[in-house]
Amino acid sequence: MTRLSQFAAALAVATVAALPLAARASDPTDIIDYRKHVMKTLGAQSASMAMTLQGKAPAENFVLHAEALAIVASTALQAFKEKVEGGGSKPDVWAKWPDFEKRMTELATNTAALAKAAREGGVAAAGPKVQGALTCKGCHDIYREKK
Ligand code: HEC
């Protein structure tokens, strides 16, 4: 193969590989499932992190759970962007989108700061910030259907 045809072949492979990444979810069930998965992961990571602080789980995992929480929180806003009412979400999520967006962005910012403090200063630095970073209930009280 010439260099040019090698390049063209590589480009074709790259293009095909990139396609699924560019595809948008459009099935409403997928959209709701995805945001539920993201939220459940937030729940699991918060609970795991709390257990490391309470001496019920390995303390050395505190930093990793704080980091996982921050990463998942950074995916959460995107998971709600498409307006698909239902699941456990109240219609206000989309009717009051600027407020919802602000709250979800704050969660991502605060958990990122928590993870940074945990990495740099461990439990001593990050422990006191945990409660303030977990603004979960404040949002659920407004935007999540009561069970
Ligand atoms: C900005 C608003 C907002 C924030 C902040 C938020 N949530 Fe949620 N959460 C929601 C909404 C809305 C739903 C309902 C999603 C759906 O089913 O459509 C939800 C659903 C959930 C669920 C139920 C998922 C399921 O299986 O049905 C869990 C668990 C959860 N959140 C945990 C958390 C935790 C833990 C945090 C904090 C670390 C958090 N959430 C922060 C809005 C938020």
Side-chain angles (χ1 to χ4, degrees), residues 15-104:
T15 307
V16 170
L19 273 179
L21 287 176
R24 307 276 309 164
S26 56
D27 182 336
T29 311
D30 286 345
I31 290 169
I32 292 174
D33 280 352
Y34 178 62
R35 68 187 188 226
K36 281 183 180 288
H37 286 316
V38 168
M39 278 294 149
K40 270 186 200 159
T41 313
L42 279 183
Q45 288 305 320
S46 309
S48 303
M49 188 176 71
M51 288 182 75
T52 65
L53 289 173
Q54 293 158 355
K56 296 176 180 169
E60 61 268 33
N61 278 356
F62 170 71
V63 177
L64 293 173
H65 289 301
E67 289 183 327
L69 191 61
I71 290 171
V72 180
S74 74
T75 70
L77 181 64
Q78 193 69 37
F80 284 88
K81 267 197 175 143
E82 292 212 49
K83 181 183 173 183
V84 178
E85 291 184 1
S89 297
K90 289 189 179 165
D92 270 357
V93 167
W94 299 278
K96 298 181 180 166
W97 180 257
D99 179 65
F100 185 85
E101 182 174 36
K102 183 170 155 278
R103 286 169 184 272
M104 202 58 104

